[in-house]
Amino acid sequence: MQLRVAIGNWLQRRMPGLLCLAMFALVAVPAFALDKLNLQLKYLHQFQFAGYYAALEKGYYREHGLDVSIVEGISGDEPLKNVLAGQSQFGVGSSSLLLERHAGKPVVVLGVVFQHSPYVLLVPRTGSTQTIHDIMGKPVMLSAQSEELTAYLKKEGISLSNLTMLKHSFNPDDLISGKTYGFSAYATNETDVLDKAGFAYQAYTPRSAGIDFYGDNLFTSEQQIKEHPARVKAFREASMRGWHYAMRHQEEIAELILAKYSQRNSREHLLYEAKKMTDLVQPELVEMGYMNPGRWMHIAEVYADLGMLPKNSQMQGFLYDPDPRPDFLWLYRALAAISFLIIVAWLIHMKRLSQERKLAQANIKASEERYRRLFSESTIAQVVYDIDNLKILAVNARYLQLLGYAENEVIGCPVDFPFDVNHREEMRSRLHQVVQDGIDNPEATYRGRWHYQHRDGHHIEVEGTSRRLEYANHRARIASLEDVTERERIKQELEKYKSHLEEMVLSRTTELIAAKHMAEAANRAKSVFLANMSHELRTPLNAILGFTQLMKRDNIAPENQKNLATINRAGQHLLSLINDVLEISRIEAGRTLLQSAPFDLGEILSSVEEMIRVKADDKGLKFITEHAGNLPAFVEGDGPHLKQVLINLLGNAVKYTERGQLALSVSRRNGEINFEVSDTGPGISEQDHARIFQPFYQTQSGIAKGEGTGLGLAISQEYTKMMKGRLAVKSQLGQGSTFTLSLPLPETEAPAAQSAARSIIGLEVDQEEMRVLIVDDKEDNRELVMQLLAPTGFALRTANDGQQAIDCFIAWQPQLIWMDMRMPVLDGYQATQQIRALPGGDKVKIVALTASAFEEERQKIIESGCDDMVRKPLEEASLFLVMGDLLNLRYRYAEVEQAAVTPAQTNLARALDFSTLPSSQIAALKAAAEALDLAKIRQQVAMLKETHPALAAEMDELVQGFRFEQIAALCDKSQTQIKQEEGES
Ligand code: ADP
């Protein structure tokens, strides 16, 4: 559409230029540019078509680039036929074209030349009274296209059926001859013939009855207009211009017709025709080609009256518009389409709007319904109240249920009516505050606690949330009230429980603390008990074992020697039992302290092996020892505890193995020392592997043995753990056992040389006499120490308790005090502290004597001011050693005793072989040794000197060391060997 408008505009602007260009082209090169076309006349050449000849002759067609041929007609129907067939582009027609158009022929009238139809109905003139009605019943010739005459007759009330219709001959003679009465003719033509013939005729024109048809017109086809609009316009314009010229130059055109077209008619006739035409064409009054649609309407009505056209038939497209206004049809159509679309869209939009409105209304309704339901079915109580008068507007079911009212009892009531009486004033003032805040700040939501009262009087606590709301034209608030009464009650209950629980916890804690104190007290009591027991048991043992040691020095009768040995053995066993029991208690109480110091691994192994070898030998068991070459000489660790564990394991191996062998293999791997103790004993079942490490557990074979306490392995295990090592057993019943002890014992430097425990016989002569005070409440103990020290040349005094000790110290100023720690009146701790506070008290050496088995006692003792501590039962050697260290003493050692502690001596027992001795001598030696009969032993040894001097010398060493047990064991072993040998032989 935009393109068409643009082209239209462009043409409008350029048209004059284009026309000039066209004109120039026509004049310059006419032969090449002329548009050939035909004009079909409806009859033979005559003045009736003068305008077209003039246009051609005057070059009007040519001016428009048209090369026009004017074609004669004969029957009158050629123009319609040829124009519609396309043979002629233009034709000369009559008003009957209207009928053709209505019949569907696409003819368009370009312009009317004859403003009035030339048709007349000629009848012979008969007199002045004659009327048209005289025609009734007479023969009449009516030409095909003279409908206006038919109409005229009809209008005059003359039906064609009342006439005798003859075929038209177009020969006026037929009228003259009376062949026909009526004769349709052109007023411009046939009348001339009649006039010339002197025939009187009467011409009836339809105009007399008001029927005024157009005469000749120029027409074309719709197709022609559509395809060649410029040609049509040009042809019409040139033709009408020709008509204009012809009507003004009638003679010239008559000459032209005669000269160029036809001489059928005389010049005179042509001019006659021209003259008659002037009335019909009216060239001076009407513009050539002019046609009035009203006239055409009139013609159509006449046709309609004749039944030839329907009433009010349309004239659309029939009349040519030489200057059509720009064709806005497309625009109108487009506008119409747009309008239509707009209307449709608008309708759709309106429909949609209406649907949306309906939907929105439905939604609003649904939403309102939803809110209404939410409100009414909410499990939270809700109330809507007017903020201007504080009256309730609406409540939901839950609200009514919460407060116990019916709806009609609350609607319209003040919103504060159910406030709890006890909080009413406070609640009311808060309500007013909330309402006021809501007015100032409508978006705000208020949250708070409210106290309500149920209808039955019980108190309700609610948590409320309220906000502004427009409700049915009221300024309102909606409050949601959540019942928290129960929650509060539970909370308070919980608070109560909490505080109660705290109380309970407190009292329980107090109880527990008390229980703990009691337990601690009990523990302390146990410790005290154990300490007491230890003291009580060790003190008499001290005396028993001490005095047996002393007695061994004397010459005692042989039977008493034996008894003494038994006492000594029993005492030693008792001591070890006490030690074991105390040790396990001590471990359980966590009191066993580990000591870490460098020690000689080889020495410990030797001493253990020596001890075990004797026992193994006693039982006739082979004892294999194996030391890896990479063992360190000195290691850092707890030597005494290691020794104890090894003695335990090896002791068990000996104890439970009846025949075969036991072995100790020591190796070093991954920084650990591994001690493997294996035997060929009864073995231990799998299920007992763990149990044997529990205190007091013994296997069947253990119980059957009737020895031991079941504590050894438990203690060993604990020691091992303390030493960060591992102790494990591998054994099967009947397959022997292997215990493996792995300990991290790092290699270390050799410790400072320690003086070997040698037998002391006195102080070296050049030393000043030492004053030694012995403090003990037990006379036995005082006596024991007295007797041990007396021979060595100390000045000795005794005290029975702490107080006496202080007194003695003040009076006598001893250099060293042996202080028993448990004493009546004033114990050793207090006495020591007080002595230390006295003049010279800082110099005196005080050594605690204690029967306590607990190592931690040492700490307490040292803290109380003692320099050192020696445990009971007293060992002679440690007694001297401690004194020697503290007082820098030099002792005199007995020669033999010195030999007794040499390393050679440790291996002595092993090297001795009695098998070559007579069995009687062995039996005698054994009896003497068991009876601790020194004299008898010496006697036997003396006897040996002659027969077995080497053996006698070695035996001497054992005797000097009072190693009676070993002597007895060696004798035992030899006897067994002899028996075996005898059996074998
Ligand atoms: P005790 O030897 O004093 O009974 P222990 O704790 O040393 O206590 O040993 C616990 C038990 O383990 C023993 O009673 C014994 O039944 C068993 N047992 C220990 N060592 C061996 C072993 N080498 N061979 C067989 N059984 C053993």
Side-chain angles (χ1 to χ4, degrees), residues 580 648-657 677-685 688 691-705 707-716 729 731 733 736-739:
D580 273 0
N648 223 326
L649 298 176
L650 286 162
N652 280 347
V654 176
K655 187 159 60 177
Y656 296 109
T657 306
V677 177
S678 55
D679 63 52
T680 54
I684 303 159
S685 68
D688 280 335
R691 292 188 213 150
I692 53 169
F693 294 103
Q694 292 169 3
F696 302 106
Y697 185 81
Q698 291 180 297
T699 66
Q700 285 306 318
S701 52
I703 295 163
K705 195 79 195 163
E707 288 179 37
T709 54
L711 286 170
L713 285 178
I715 292 168
S716 299
V729 62
S731 178
L733 271 182
S737 311
T738 302
F739 285 85

Coordinates of all heavy atoms in Angstrom, one line a residue, residues 580 648-657 677-685 688 691-705 707-716 729 731 733 736-739, ligand 1:
D580 N 54.1 -59.8 97.6 CA 53.2 -59.9 96.4 C 51.8 -59.3 96.6 O 51.3 -58.5 95.8 CB 53.0 -61.4 96.1 CG 54.1 -61.9 95.2 OD1 55.0 -61.1 94.8 OD2 54.1 -63.1 94.8
N648 N 59.9 -63.9 87.8 CA 58.6 -64.4 87.8 C 58.4 -65.4 86.7 O 57.9 -66.5 86.9 CB 57.6 -63.3 87.7 CG 56.4 -63.4 88.6 OD1 56.0 -64.5 88.9 ND2 55.9 -62.3 89.1
L649 N 58.7 -65.0 85.5 CA 58.5 -65.9 84.3 C 59.3 -67.1 84.4 O 58.8 -68.2 84.2 CB 58.8 -65.1 83.0 CG 57.9 -63.9 82.8 CD1 58.4 -63.1 81.5 CD2 56.5 -64.3 82.6
L650 N 60.6 -66.9 84.7 CA 61.5 -68.1 84.8 C 61.2 -69.0 86.0 O 61.2 -70.2 85.9 CB 63.0 -67.6 84.9 CG 63.5 -67.1 83.5 CD1 64.7 -66.2 83.7 CD2 63.8 -68.2 82.6
G651 N 60.8 -68.3 87.1 CA 60.4 -69.0 88.3 C 59.2 -69.9 88.0 O 59.2 -71.1 88.3
N652 N 58.2 -69.4 87.2 CA 57.0 -70.2 86.8 C 57.5 -71.4 85.9 O 57.0 -72.5 86.1 CB 56.0 -69.3 86.0 CG 55.2 -68.5 87.0 OD1 55.2 -68.7 88.2 ND2 54.4 -67.6 86.4
A653 N 58.4 -71.1 85.0 CA 58.9 -72.1 84.1 C 59.5 -73.3 84.8 O 59.2 -74.4 84.6 CB 59.9 -71.5 83.1
V654 N 60.2 -72.9 85.8 CA 60.8 -74.0 86.7 C 59.8 -74.7 87.5 O 59.7 -75.9 87.5 CB 61.9 -73.4 87.6 CG1 62.5 -74.5 88.6 CG2 63.0 -72.7 86.8
K655 N 58.9 -73.8 88.1 CA 57.9 -74.3 89.0 C 57.0 -75.3 88.3 O 56.7 -76.4 88.8 CB 57.1 -73.2 89.5 CG 56.1 -73.5 90.6 CD 55.7 -72.3 91.5 CE 55.0 -71.2 90.7 NZ 54.6 -70.1 91.5
Y656 N 56.5 -75.0 87.1 CA 55.5 -75.8 86.4 C 56.1 -76.9 85.5 O 55.4 -77.7 84.9 CB 54.5 -74.9 85.7 CG 53.7 -74.1 86.7 CD1 53.9 -72.7 86.7 CD2 52.8 -74.6 87.6 CE1 53.3 -71.9 87.6 CE2 52.2 -73.8 88.5 CZ 52.4 -72.5 88.5 OH 51.7 -71.7 89.4
T657 N 57.4 -76.8 85.3 CA 58.0 -77.8 84.4 C 58.6 -79.0 85.2 O 59.4 -78.7 86.1 CB 59.1 -77.2 83.5 OG1 58.5 -76.1 82.8 CG2 59.6 -78.2 82.4
V677 N 60.9 -66.5 77.4 CA 61.1 -67.6 78.4 C 60.2 -68.7 77.9 O 59.0 -68.6 77.8 CB 60.6 -67.0 79.7 CG1 60.7 -68.2 80.8 CG2 61.4 -65.8 80.2
S678 N 60.9 -69.8 77.6 CA 60.1 -71.0 77.2 C 60.4 -72.2 78.0 O 61.5 -72.3 78.7 CB 60.4 -71.3 75.7 OG 61.8 -71.5 75.5
D679 N 59.4 -73.1 78.1 CA 59.6 -74.3 78.9 C 58.9 -75.5 78.2 O 58.2 -75.3 77.2 CB 59.1 -74.1 80.3 CG 57.6 -73.8 80.3 OD1 56.8 -74.6 79.7 OD2 57.2 -72.8 80.9
T680 N 59.2 -76.6 78.7 CA 58.6 -77.9 78.2 C 57.5 -78.4 79.2 O 57.3 -79.6 79.4 CB 59.6 -78.9 77.9 OG1 60.4 -79.1 79.1 CG2 60.5 -78.5 76.8
G681 N 56.9 -77.4 79.9 CA 56.0 -77.8 81.0 C 54.6 -78.2 80.4 O 54.5 -78.5 79.3
P682 N 53.6 -78.1 81.3 CA 52.3 -78.6 80.9 C 51.5 -77.8 79.9 O 50.6 -78.2 79.3 CB 51.5 -78.5 82.3 CG 52.2 -77.5 83.0 CD 53.6 -77.5 82.7
G683 N 52.0 -76.6 79.7 CA 51.4 -75.7 78.7 C 50.1 -75.1 79.3 O 49.6 -75.4 80.4
I684 N 49.5 -74.1 78.6 CA 48.4 -73.4 79.0 C 47.3 -73.4 77.9 O 47.7 -73.1 76.8 CB 48.7 -71.9 79.4 CG1 49.9 -71.9 80.5 CG2 47.5 -71.1 79.9 CD1 50.6 -70.7 80.5
S685 N 46.1 -73.7 78.3 CA 45.0 -73.8 77.3 C 44.8 -72.4 76.7 O 45.0 -71.4 77.4 CB 43.8 -74.4 77.8 OG 43.2 -73.6 78.8
D688 N 42.8 -69.9 78.7 CA 43.5 -69.4 79.9 C 44.5 -68.3 79.6 O 45.1 -67.7 80.5 CB 44.1 -70.5 80.7 CG 43.1 -71.3 81.5 OD1 42.1 -70.7 81.9 OD2 43.3 -72.5 81.8
R691 N 43.4 -65.2 81.0 CA 43.0 -65.2 82.4 C 44.2 -65.3 83.3 O 44.2 -64.8 84.4 CB 42.1 -66.4 82.7 CG 40.8 -66.3 82.0 CD 39.9 -67.4 82.5 NE 39.0 -67.9 81.5 CZ 38.5 -69.1 81.3 NH1 38.9 -70.0 82.1 NH2 37.7 -69.4 80.4
I692 N 45.3 -65.9 82.8 CA 46.4 -66.1 83.8 C 47.1 -64.8 84.2 O 47.8 -64.7 85.1 CB 47.5 -67.0 83.1 CG1 47.9 -66.5 81.8 CG2 47.1 -68.5 83.1 CD1 49.2 -67.2 81.2
F693 N 46.7 -63.7 83.4 CA 47.2 -62.4 83.8 C 46.3 -61.7 84.8 O 46.6 -60.6 85.2 CB 47.5 -61.6 82.5 CG 48.5 -62.1 81.6 CD1 48.2 -62.8 80.5 CD2 49.9 -62.0 82.0 CE1 49.2 -63.3 79.6 CE2 50.9 -62.5 81.1 CZ 50.6 -63.2 80.0
Q694 N 45.2 -62.3 85.1 CA 44.3 -61.7 86.1 C 44.8 -62.1 87.5 O 45.3 -63.2 87.7 CB 42.9 -62.2 85.9 CG 42.3 -61.7 84.6 CD 40.9 -62.4 84.3 OE1 40.5 -63.2 85.1 NE2 40.4 -62.1 83.2
P695 N 44.6 -61.2 88.4 CA 45.1 -61.5 89.8 C 44.4 -62.7 90.4 O 43.2 -62.9 90.2 CB 44.8 -60.2 90.6 CG 44.6 -59.2 89.6 CD 44.1 -59.8 88.3
F696 N 45.2 -63.5 91.0 CA 44.7 -64.7 91.7 C 44.2 -65.8 90.8 O 43.6 -66.8 91.3 CB 43.6 -64.4 92.8 CG 44.1 -63.3 93.8 CD1 43.6 -62.0 93.7 CD2 45.0 -63.7 94.8 CE1 44.1 -61.1 94.7 CE2 45.4 -62.8 95.7 CZ 45.0 -61.5 95.6
Y697 N 44.3 -65.7 89.5 CA 43.9 -66.8 88.7 C 45.0 -67.8 88.5 O 46.1 -67.5 88.2 CB 43.5 -66.2 87.3 CG 42.9 -67.4 86.4 CD1 41.5 -67.7 86.6 CD2 43.7 -68.1 85.5 CE1 41.0 -68.8 85.9 CE2 43.1 -69.1 84.8 CZ 41.8 -69.5 85.0 OH 41.3 -70.6 84.3
Q698 N 44.6 -69.0 88.7 CA 45.5 -70.1 88.5 C 44.9 -71.2 87.6 O 43.7 -71.5 87.8 CB 45.9 -70.8 89.8 CG 46.8 -69.8 90.7 CD 47.1 -70.5 92.0 OE1 46.3 -70.8 92.8 NE2 48.4 -70.7 92.2
T699 N 45.6 -71.8 86.8 CA 45.1 -72.9 85.9 C 45.0 -74.1 86.8 O 45.5 -74.2 87.9 CB 46.0 -73.1 84.7 OG1 47.2 -73.6 85.2 CG2 46.2 -71.9 83.9
Q700 N 44.4 -75.2 86.2 CA 44.3 -76.4 86.9 C 45.7 -76.9 87.4 O 45.8 -77.3 88.6 CB 43.7 -77.5 86.0 CG 42.2 -77.3 85.8 CD 41.4 -77.3 87.1 OE1 41.6 -78.0 88.0 NE2 40.5 -76.3 87.2
S701 N 46.6 -76.9 86.5 CA 47.9 -77.3 86.9 C 48.5 -76.4 87.9 O 49.3 -76.9 88.8 CB 48.8 -77.4 85.6 OG 48.8 -76.2 85.0
G702 N 48.2 -75.1 87.9 CA 48.7 -74.2 88.9 C 48.1 -74.5 90.3 O 48.8 -74.6 91.3
I703 N 46.8 -74.8 90.3 CA 46.1 -75.1 91.5 C 46.7 -76.5 92.1 O 47.0 -76.6 93.2 CB 44.6 -75.2 91.3 CG1 44.0 -73.8 91.0 CG2 43.9 -75.7 92.6 CD1 42.7 -73.9 90.4
A704 N 46.8 -77.4 91.1 CA 47.3 -78.7 91.5 C 48.7 -78.6 92.1 O 49.1 -79.4 93.0 CB 47.4 -79.6 90.3
K705 N 49.5 -77.7 91.7 CA 50.8 -77.5 92.2 C 50.8 -77.2 93.6 O 51.7 -77.5 94.4 CB 51.5 -76.4 91.3 CG 53.0 -76.4 91.5 CD 53.6 -77.5 90.7 CE 55.1 -77.7 91.1 NZ 55.6 -78.9 90.6
E707 N 51.2 -74.4 95.0 CA 52.1 -73.3 95.3 C 51.6 -72.0 94.7 O 50.8 -72.0 93.8 CB 53.5 -73.6 94.7 CG 54.3 -74.7 95.4 CD 55.6 -74.9 94.7 OE1 56.2 -73.9 94.3 OE2 56.0 -76.0 94.6
G708 N 52.2 -70.9 95.1 CA 51.9 -69.6 94.5 C 50.6 -69.1 94.9 O 49.8 -69.7 95.6
T709 N 50.4 -67.8 94.4 CA 49.2 -67.1 94.8 C 48.4 -66.7 93.5 O 47.3 -66.1 93.7 CB 49.6 -65.8 95.5 OG1 50.5 -65.1 94.6 CG2 50.3 -66.1 96.8
G710 N 48.9 -66.9 92.4 CA 48.2 -66.4 91.2 C 48.4 -64.9 91.0 O 47.7 -64.3 90.2
L711 N 49.4 -64.4 91.6 CA 49.6 -62.9 91.5 C 50.8 -62.6 90.6 O 50.9 -61.5 90.1 CB 49.8 -62.3 92.9 CG 48.6 -62.2 93.7 CD1 49.0 -61.8 95.2 CD2 47.7 -61.1 93.2
G712 N 51.7 -63.5 90.5 CA 53.0 -63.2 89.8 C 52.8 -62.7 88.4 O 53.4 -61.6 88.1
L713 N 52.0 -63.3 87.5 CA 51.8 -62.8 86.2 C 51.0 -61.5 86.1 O 51.3 -60.6 85.3 CB 51.1 -63.9 85.3 CG 51.9 -65.1 84.9 CD1 51.1 -66.1 84.1 CD2 53.2 -64.7 84.1
A714 N 50.1 -61.4 87.0 CA 49.3 -60.1 87.1 C 50.3 -58.9 87.4 O 50.2 -57.9 86.7 CB 48.2 -60.2 88.2
I715 N 51.1 -59.2 88.4 CA 52.1 -58.1 88.7 C 53.1 -57.9 87.5 O 53.3 -56.7 87.1 CB 52.9 -58.5 90.0 CG1 51.9 -58.5 91.2 CG2 54.1 -57.6 90.2 CD1 52.5 -59.1 92.4
S716 N 53.5 -59.0 86.9 CA 54.4 -58.8 85.8 C 53.8 -58.1 84.6 O 54.4 -57.2 84.0 CB 54.8 -60.2 85.3 OG 55.5 -60.9 86.3
V729 N 51.8 -64.5 75.9 CA 52.0 -66.0 76.1 C 51.6 -66.7 74.8 O 50.7 -66.3 74.2 CB 51.3 -66.6 77.3 CG1 49.8 -66.4 77.1 CG2 51.7 -68.0 77.5
S731 N 51.1 -70.7 74.0 CA 51.2 -72.0 74.6 C 50.0 -72.9 74.2 O 48.9 -72.3 73.8 CB 51.2 -71.8 76.1 OG 51.2 -73.1 76.7
L733 N 48.1 -76.7 75.6 CA 48.2 -77.7 76.7 C 49.1 -78.8 76.2 O 48.9 -79.3 75.1 CB 46.8 -78.2 77.0 CG 46.0 -77.5 78.1 CD1 44.6 -78.1 78.3 CD2 46.8 -77.4 79.4
G736 N 54.1 -77.2 76.3 CA 55.0 -76.2 76.9 C 54.5 -74.8 76.6 O 53.5 -74.6 76.0
S737 N 55.2 -73.8 77.2 CA 54.8 -72.4 77.1 C 55.9 -71.5 76.7 O 57.1 -71.8 77.1 CB 54.2 -71.9 78.5 OG 53.3 -72.9 79.0
T738 N 55.6 -70.4 76.1 CA 56.6 -69.4 75.8 C 56.0 -68.0 76.1 O 55.0 -67.7 75.6 CB 57.0 -69.4 74.3 OG1 57.5 -70.7 74.0 CG2 58.0 -68.4 74.0
F739 N 56.7 -67.4 77.1 CA 56.3 -66.0 77.4 C 57.3 -65.1 76.8 O 58.5 -65.3 76.8 CB 56.3 -65.8 78.9 CG 55.1 -66.5 79.6 CD1 55.2 -67.9 79.9 CD2 54.0 -65.8 79.9 CE1 54.1 -68.5 80.6 CE2 52.9 -66.4 80.6 CZ 53.0 -67.8 80.9
Ligands
ADP1 P1 51.4 -68.5 90.6 O1 52.5 -69.0 89.8 O2 51.8 -67.9 91.8 O3 50.2 -69.3 90.7 P2 51.2 -66.7 88.4 O4 50.4 -65.4 88.2 O5 52.6 -66.5 88.2 O6 50.8 -67.2 89.7 O7 50.7 -67.7 87.4 C1 49.3 -67.9 87.2 C2 49.0 -69.2 86.7 O8 49.5 -69.4 85.4 C3 49.7 -70.3 87.4 O9 49.0 -70.6 88.6 C4 49.8 -71.4 86.4 O10 48.6 -72.1 86.5 C5 49.9 -70.7 85.1 N1 51.3 -70.6 84.6 C6 52.1 -69.6 84.7 N2 53.3 -69.9 84.1 C7 53.2 -71.2 83.6 C8 54.0 -72.0 82.9 N3 55.2 -71.6 82.5 N4 53.5 -73.2 82.5 C9 52.3 -73.6 82.8 N5 51.4 -72.8 83.5 C10 51.9 -71.6 83.9

